[in-house]
Amino acid sequence: MRTLIKGGQVIDPGRMNQMADILIEDGKIHTIDVNLQPTLKNPESVTIIDAKGLIVCPGFIDLHVHFREPGFEYKETIATGVDSAVAGGFTTVCCMPNTNPVNDSQSITDFILRQAKIADKARVFPIGAITKGSKGEELAEIGELHQAGCVAISDDGIPVMNSLVMRRAMEYARAFDLPVIDHCEDSHLSAGGAMNEGFVSTELGIPGIPNAAEEVMVARNIFLAELTQSRLHLPHVSTIGSVRLLRDAKSRGVSVTAEACPHHFSLTEEAVRTFDTNAKMNPPLRTDADVQAVKGALKDGSIDVIATDHAPHAVHEKQRQFDNAPFGIIGLESALPLTLNLVEDGVLTIEQAIAKLTCEPARVFKLPFGTLALGADADVTLIDPKKSWTLDPSRLRSKSRNTPFAGWTMKGQVVKTLVGGRVVYEAE
Amino acid sequence: MSLKRKDLLSISSLSPEEIDLILEAAEPFKEVSGREIKKVPALRGKTVVNLFFEPSTRTSTSFELAAKRLSADVINFSPGSSSVVKGETLLDTARNIESMQADIIVLRHSSSGAAESLARHVRSSVINAGDGWHEHPTQGLLDLFTIKEKKGRLSGLSVAIVGDVAHSRVARSDIHALLKMGAEVRVVGPPTMIPAFIERMGVKVFSNFDAALPGVDVIIMLRLQLERQGRSLFPSMREYATLYGLNSERVQRTGTDLLVMHPGPINRGVEISHEVADSSQAAILDQVSNGVAVRMGLMYLLSQLQ
Ligand SMILES: [Zn+2]
Ligand SMILES: [Zn+2]
C-alpha cells in the first residue's frame, strides 16, 4: 500500500516547512522530497492525494477530551467521539476518566481501548483516574492503569482537594513516569459558581467562580510537583494569575507543562450575557486580560499545548437554566480554525500553531506521534488554511451540539485526515 | 404612546423613556385602586398566568390583584421546585402554558436568566417577577414610582441601597432604574455582600453605613436572608444589626427629609428598627399599594401591543 501526498506545503514543526511530496508506504512515512512522483516505481499502484494549496502536517493530538462511554452514551460514544476527532484533524486523543463507572481500573481501560479499536478511526489513549471513583480519597490502581495503557492520570472534572492525597499520587505516579493532571479548582472557592466572577456575573446575578479558585490550586500543585519531583500537567489554564505561576515555575525548572483551550483564547465572559448555556464551561470564560495572558503564554511557550476539553452534553441538558446546566462544550471540530485565528492575529506563527497541536502534546505525554519523521506512523492532516466555512452545529460529527461557536465564520478547514496512512476523514 | 416590546424582562434593557411611560401608565390605576369598585375592563377576555417556581405570596398576590382589577382571567401556577430538575420543567411548562393561550405570563424563578429563556420560547408576553439574583424589574419600577410620588422627582436624588446587594435582584433592578432616571446611588454593606466591580455600574460603594448617610434622600433597605450567616457572609445577626441596621439615629444623620423603603418582608430589629419601620418616613406600605398600580399599568401597556 503506497500513497503519495503531492504538492502540499509540508509543515513538520521544528523539522520542515517547505513544498514537498510525502510518500507513505505500509502506513509509515517513507520519503519526503520535492517532486517525488517521477521517481516512483510502479506508479500505477500508488494512490495520489493532490495537496496543492494545502498544508500537510502531522495529525493533531488532543490531550484532553471527554468521550462519554461507558455510562453517558447519549452524549457521545467513543465511535462518535473519534468521528468528531478526525473531522477536526485529530488523529490521537486522550480521554478523561470521568465516565460511569470512572476509568479507575484495568477493565474500564480495556473496554475503552476495545471500543476505540472497533471504531477504528483516531488513536485513543485513556487517562486513568488518580483516586478510586475519582472520590479524592484512596489512590486508584495507578500501576495497573499504566500497564493497561493509560498515558496519564487525572480526576478531571473534580479537583483532588486533599493535598496529601495529591502528594501521594504524584509520588506514586513517578514510578511509572506518568504525568499527573489536576483539574485546578478549589471547590470551596468555586462552590455554587456558574461563570467567571467579575463585572458580568455581578450584572447578571449569576454566582461567580473567581480566578483565585483556579490559581490557588495551580500554586499548590506546582509546589507539590516540586516536592515530589513528578511530572505535572496543568489542564485548561484560564487566568492571568495561573500564567504568572506557570512562568515562574518553569523558570525555576519545575517539571510542569500546560495546555490552553481554544474557547479560553477566543471568548470572554461577555459571551454569557445572553445566558447562553453553551458559554458555560469549567473553568469559565474569563476577562479580556485573562485571554491576553493565555495568548501571551502560548506565544512565549509557557503554555505548551492547545487541547480542546471536548465535553459533550445533550441538548436537553444544556436547555436547563444557566445555573443548572452542565459545564462543558464540544471542541474537536472548531479547534483548528480557532487556533489559526492566533496566526492571523500575529500571536503564533503557523509553525508554532501546528506545533501546539502536534509535536508539543506528543512531547508532554511522550507519545510517539505528532511527527512526519521518516519511519513514523503516517498520521497526517491536510488543511486548507484559506477556506472559510460557517459552523453549523447540526453538521458536526459529534453526537452533541453544545458549541458557543454556532454561526461563526471559521477560516481554515480540515480537508483530509490520515491515520497510519489510511484516509479516515475527507471533507465533503 | 405604547411600549414597543413583547416582554418586560429587566430594567437594564429599558430606556428612560420607556420607564417614564410605564410610570405614567400606572398613575390612573393608582386612582382605580382607591375607588369603591376597583375594576376596569382593560384586560377583559385576556388570560394572565402567574407562574411561580419560587414561593412568594407577596409578589404573586400583587400580580394577581393587578390582573383581576384589569378584569383578566388569572391562573396561578406554582410547580413544586424541589421535586423536579429546575429548568427542564420551565420549558416543558412553558409549552403547556402556550397551549392555554396565555396572553401574559408572570414568571418567578430561582435561576438568573429564566425569564429571558422563557420569553424566547413563547409567544405570550413575559413579565419577569424575579429571576435568581438577576432582576426584579417591577420592584424597580414600583420603587421609582414611590420615590417620585413622595419626592416629586427622581433626577438629582441621592439613594442608598443597603444590605446584601450581591444576592439581591431588587438591588440590581433598583440600581439600573435609579441610574437611568438620573439619581445618584450608593450601595452599602459588608464587602462580603458587595459583588465584584459593582462600581462599574456607576454606583458608589460604602462598607461603613454611617459614612454613606450624609445627604441621602432615600434609603432602600434590603431584606437579610438569615440563612446566609452559615456561609460566612456575616458573623451574627446582632453584629449585622449594629453595623448595617437602620435606626432613628442613622435616620437623623442623613440631615434630610429621609424616605425609607424596603421590598419586604421586613426582619424587624435586624435590617430596620421598629421605630423606623413604623415612622412616617417609611413608605413600605405605599410600596405595596403602588406595586399593584405599577403592575396594572405594565400589563395594560403590554396588552395594547397584542
Ligand atoms: Zn477540568
Ligand atoms: Zn475536562
Side-chain angles (χ1 to χ4, degrees):
Chain A
M1 251 306 276
R2 288 183 299 165
T3 304
L4 185 74
I5 304 175
K6 189 173 159 266
Q9 185 191 358
V10 177
I11 302 183
D12 190 8
R15 297 167 42 84
M16 173 179 284
N17 184 352
Q18 65 173 82
M19 303 298 286
D21 299 346
I22 300 179
L23 180 66
I24 297 167
E25 203 170 302
D26 299 327
K28 310 276 185 195
I29 305 288
H30 185 275
T31 324
I32 303 184
D33 212 336
V34 271
N35 206 11
L36 273 175
Q37 201 167 11
T39 69
L40 293 178
K41 287 174 209 152
N42 306 323
E44 62 289 347
S45 69
V46 178
T47 310
I48 308 281
I49 295 175
D50 182 8
K52 193 155 177 272
L54 305 182
I55 290 172
V56 181
C57 62
F60 305 154
I61 299 173
D62 193 345
L63 298 186
H64 192 151
V65 301
H66 297 269
F67 290 170
R68 303 301 193 181
E69 195 176 352
F72 307 101
E73 290 82 356
Y74 65 96
K75 299 175 196 253
E76 191 91 281
T77 62
I78 289 167
T80 60
V82 291
D83 253 353
S84 178
V86 295
F90 290 91
T91 53
T92 296
V93 293
C94 302
C95 50
M96 285 294 180
N98 60 338
T99 45
N100 185 21
V102 166
N103 181 16
D104 61 358
S105 72
Q106 220 164 20
S107 61
I108 303 296
T109 301
D110 288 343
F111 169 80
I112 292 167
L113 290 172
R114 211 158 49 235
Q115 295 301 94
K117 198 161 192 178
I118 294 166
D120 198 22
K121 288 262 172 81
R123 303 177 197 276
V124 174
F125 291 94
I127 295 169
I130 295 174
T131 62
K132 290 196 177 83
S134 285
K135 288 190 163 61
E137 291 157 9
E138 292 170 61
L139 293 189
E141 290 163 341
I142 295 168
E144 288 194 6
L145 287 166
H146 168 63
Q147 277 169 12
C150 287
V151 290
I153 52 168
S154 180
D155 280 351
D156 187 54
I158 316 169
V160 178
M161 278 302 290
N162 184 323
S163 300
L164 179 61
V165 172
M166 191 44 134
R167 177 204 169 145
R168 295 299 181 219
M170 285 182 175
E171 282 173 336
Y172 195 78
R174 218 174 55 205
F176 318 102
D177 195 29
L178 280 176
V180 180
I181 308 164
D182 189 28
H183 172 97
C184 298
E185 174 190 351
D186 182 309
S187 57
H188 299 296
L189 283 173
S190 65
M195 70 172 292
N196 182 51
E197 181 177 314
F199 182 55
V200 179
S201 69
T202 288
E203 285 217 308
L204 297 183
I206 292 176
I209 301 172
N211 281 19
E214 175 174 319
E215 290 153 357
V216 298
M217 293 298 270
V218 167
R220 181 202 73 170
N221 289 327
I222 287 171
F223 285 123
L224 291 179
E226 229 171 335
L227 174 70
T228 59
Q229 296 293 302
S230 60
R231 287 167 66 195
L232 171 65
H233 179 68
L234 299 173
H236 44 53
V237 169
S238 77
T239 77
I240 189 166
S242 296
V243 165
R244 207 181 297 134
L245 291 161
L246 181 61
R247 244 180 224 140
D248 173 70
K250 284 196 161 183
S251 73
R252 288 186 294 107
V254 182
S255 165
V256 55
T257 53
E259 76 196 24
C261 306
H263 48 269
H264 286 133
F265 59 71
S266 304
L267 292 169
T268 68
E269 58 179 359
E270 291 292 331
V272 180
R273 285 232 183 245
T274 54
F275 298 99
D276 179 6
T277 56
N278 287 330
K280 180 178 179 180
M281 70 290 288
N282 193 4
L285 298 173
R286 305 283 190 183
T287 67
D288 189 53
D290 296 298
V291 169
Q292 296 312 325
V294 168
K295 286 184 181 176
L298 282 164
K299 187 183 176 75
D300 72 13
S302 305
I303 295 177
D304 309 76
V305 166
I306 292 171
T308 65
D309 198 1
H310 179 86
H313 291 293
V315 170
H316 72 271
E317 295 170 313
K318 280 291 193 180
Q319 266 182 359
R320 291 185 203 147
Q321 295 309 302
F322 196 89
D323 52 350
N324 287 305
F327 290 101
I329 61 165
I330 54 173
L332 285 165
E333 291 165 78
S334 47
L336 171 70
L338 295 173
T339 301
L340 291 179
N341 286 345
L342 297 177
V343 179
E344 191 92 5
D345 297 346
V347 177
L348 300 178
T349 64
I350 182 73
E351 232 179 292
Q352 287 170 326
I354 291 171
K356 304 278 183 202
L357 293 166
T358 57
C359 54
E360 290 289 322
R363 176 179 58 81
V364 167
F365 278 12
K366 299 187 180 173
L367 301 171
F369 306 107
T371 173
L372 298 176
L374 300 186
D377 286 298
D379 294 1
V380 185
T381 294
L382 279 68
I383 303 163
D384 183 343
K386 297 210 169 64
K387 172 88 183 223
S388 282
W389 55 286
T390 303
L391 192 141
D392 172 0
S394 70
R395 302 194 56 183
L396 298 176
R397 303 289 177 109
S398 169
K399 199 168 195 174
S400 287
R401 302 280 169 259
N402 50 317
T403 169
F405 303 109
W408 278 41
T409 302
M410 297 290 188
K411 199 173 165 205
Q413 195 184 36
V414 174
V415 175
K416 267 190 180 55
T417 308
L418 286 76
V419 172
R422 184 169 54 101
V423 176
V424 289
Y425 171 78
E426 262 180 288
E428 287 145 26
Chain B
M1 262 257 306
S2 67
L3 203 55
K4 288 181 183 59
R5 51 173 73 233
K6 173 170 94 67
D7 314 294
L8 181 78
L9 305 177
S10 62
I11 298 283
S12 69
S13 59
L14 292 179
S15 67
E17 293 71 31
E18 287 176 300
I19 292 173
D20 268 331
L21 180 68
I22 300 168
L23 298 183
E24 277 162 32
E27 222 42 82
F29 293 116
K30 169 120 190 180
E31 185 264 324
V32 168
S33 296
R35 286 189 207 160
E36 183 99 356
I37 295 166
K38 303 174 178 54
K39 225 170 186 169
V40 289
L43 262 69
R44 181 171 292 156
K46 305 263 183 188
T47 303
V48 175
V49 175
N50 262 337
L51 179 57
F52 276 60
F53 284 85
E54 262 187 351
S56 168
T57 325
R58 178 173 286 261
T59 306
S60 69
T61 307
S62 178
F63 272 105
E64 184 175 355
L65 209 53
K68 284 185 170 162
R69 285 183 182 169
L70 292 168
S71 309
D73 296 318
V74 183
I75 300 166
N76 290 313
F77 208 61
S78 28
S81 52
S82 57
S83 59
V84 287
V85 182
K86 296 166 195 165
E88 280 181 325
T89 27
L90 175 57
L91 294 187
D92 291 344
T93 312
R95 281 171 200 129
N96 284 316
I97 287 168
E98 274 275 75
S99 57
M100 290 179 204
Q101 313 294 330
D103 297 287
I104 297 177
I105 302 173
V106 178
L107 178 74
R108 161 66 64 90
H109 198 282
S110 62
S111 297
S112 300
E116 283 199 34
S117 72
L118 178 66
R120 272 199 294 271
H121 287 88
V122 297
R123 284 185 300 275
S124 326
S125 287
V126 173
I127 298 176
N128 182 3
D131 62 325
W133 308 337
H134 177 223
E135 282 228 36
H136 190 355
T138 57
Q139 180 75 42
L141 291 166
L142 76 89
D143 285 350
L144 288 183
F145 188 92
T146 306
I147 295 170
K148 200 171 176 190
E149 182 183 60
K150 298 283 174 185
K151 292 286 183 187
R153 67 195 167 108
L154 293 166
S155 182
L157 291 176
S158 178
V159 182
I161 299 173
V162 185
D164 190 357
V165 175
H167 304 97
S168 173
R169 52 188 165 225
V170 174
R172 284 176 178 80
S173 285
D174 278 345
I175 290 169
H176 283 300
L178 289 161
L179 292 176
K180 279 176 197 273
M181 303 315 279
E184 178 220 40
V185 179
R186 307 174 184 185
V187 299
V188 183
T192 47
M193 292 179 170
I194 304 296
F197 304 116
I198 193 166
E199 64 284 352
R200 283 198 209 158
M201 289 180 81
V203 302
K204 291 188 185 131
V205 180
F206 293 81
S207 54
N208 181 332
F209 196 178
D210 294 322
L213 289 169
V216 160
D217 302 291
V218 182
I219 294 183
I220 299 171
M221 298 302 296
L222 299 173
R223 177 180 162 78
L224 183 71
Q225 303 287 322
L226 302 177
E227 67 273 14
R228 300 215 186 272
Q229 186 178 342
R231 297 187 198 153
S232 304
L233 289 175
F234 63 99
S236 69
M237 273 207 282
R238 206 173 65 90
E239 179 159 315
Y240 184 86
T242 310
L243 294 176
Y244 298 103
L246 185 60
N247 52 34
S248 308
E249 205 189 316
R250 286 195 165 118
V251 169
Q252 288 293 318
R253 217 167 282 170
T254 60
T256 63
D257 179 22
L258 182 71
L259 182 66
V260 175
M261 298 176 35
H262 190 297
I266 304 176
N267 297 303
R268 279 173 183 264
V270 183
E271 66 260 9
I272 194 161
S273 73
H274 283 283
E275 310 157 286
V276 175
D278 299 333
S279 71
S280 60
Q281 285 159 306
I284 299 165
L285 295 176
D286 302 273
Q287 285 172 276
V288 176
S289 58
N290 289 340
V292 178
V294 165
R295 286 163 182 139
M296 287 173 80
L298 175 66
M299 285 196 257
Y300 171 73
L301 286 174
L302 290 176
S303 71
Q304 292 302 100
L305 196 70
Q306 288 161 354

